[in-house]
Amino acid sequence: MYEDRILIVEDEKEIGDLVRDYLQASGYEVMLAHDGEEGLRLFQKSQPILVVLDVMLPKINGIDVCRSIREESTIPIIMISAKKSETDKIIGLGIGADDYIAKPFSPGELVARIKAQLRRYKDFATSKESSLKFGDLVIDEKGFMVMLADKKVELSAKEFQILIFLAKHKGQVFSKEQLFDKIWGFDSYGDMSAVTVYIRKIREKIEQEPSDPQYIKTVWGVGYKFDGSSK
C-alpha cells in the first residue's frame, strides 16, 4: 500500500480526468480506470490507500467492485453516482463504502473528503494502543483487525473506526451527531443517517443476535453505547 496513491474508477472520461488533475495538484499519485474490471485489476496492481469509485460502471458495477475490494482491504472507499436518492446512499454505505457523493459535485469538495478520510484512516492505522478484549471479541487497534471466537471479522475502515471508538469509551452513550463528529469529523461532509447504517452492519458481523445486541446497544432516544459484558 502506498500512502500517496489513489485509484479513481470512473467511466466518464471528463470527470475522471478532472478529479485526477485536482488530486495530482494536491500531491497525490493517481491511477485512473474507466470500467469495473480495469478498476479491480489496478487495485490489485497499484495497492492504493484510497479508492474513488463510481456506482454505474461498464463490465462490473461499482457496488460489486466495492464488495470485492472489501473482501481483502479496509482502505477508505468513496462512491460517486448521478443518483441522489437516500436508497442509493444506504446501498452504497451498506456494502462497505466510507463516504458517498452525488453528481454533480465540486472537485474541491471531493478532495476535501478524500483528505478527511485519509487523515482518519492513518490516525487509526498508526495507533500504538494495545488490543481490547471483551469475551470472544478481540479488537486489535494497531493491526486494524477484529477477531470473534478466533475468527477474523471483515470490517470496512469506517466500521472499524466506529467499533474501536465505542469500545474505548465502554459504557459511555453517544448520540448519532456525536459519533458523526468523532468519526467523520467536524470538517467532513456527509449524512448522519450513515451512522445508523454502519451500526447495523457492525452488529450483523459481531453480534450473535443483532436484534438483541451484546456489544453495541441502543439507548432509546439518546444514541448508542458499547457494553461488552457477558450475558
Side-chain angles (χ1 to χ4, degrees), residues 80-171:
I80 57 178
S81 174
K83 298 181 179 180
K84 298 182 180 180
S85 70
E86 286 296 323
T87 300
D88 285 337
K89 287 187 178 182
I90 291 173
I91 290 173
L93 294 170
I95 51 87
D98 297 284
D99 200 358
Y100 189 105
I101 187 169
K103 297 177 183 177
F105 57 84
S106 160
E109 177 186 349
L110 178 59
V111 171
R113 292 195 188 201
I114 287 170
K115 289 181 177 179
Q117 292 290 337
L118 289 177
R119 182 167 58 251
R120 293 184 175 276
Y121 179 76
K122 290 176 182 179
D123 285 346
F124 278 91
T126 59
S127 173
K128 302 299 182 182
E129 295 191 20
S130 59
S131 299
L132 301 175
K133 185 173 183 180
F134 306 93
D136 289 336
L137 180 68
V138 179
I139 308 171
D140 180 359
E141 186 174 14
K142 186 176 179 180
F144 217 80
M145 182 172 61
V146 175
M147 303 291 291
L148 182 64
D150 296 324
K151 294 183 179 180
K152 186 178 180 181
V153 179
E154 297 293 342
L155 297 180
S156 73
K158 275 291 177 288
E159 289 168 353
F160 184 89
Q161 290 166 11
I162 291 171
L163 178 60
I164 191 69
F165 177 80
L166 288 173
K168 288 172 67 175
H169 296 85
K170 179 181 175 182

Side-chain angles (χ1 to χ4, degrees), residues 203 207 209-218 227 231:
R203 284 173 171 167
E207 303 282 3
E209 299 177 34
S211 60
D212 183 24
Q214 173 184 351
Y215 299 109
I216 300 179
K217 296 188 176 181
T218 299
D227 190 332
K231 288 189 174 183

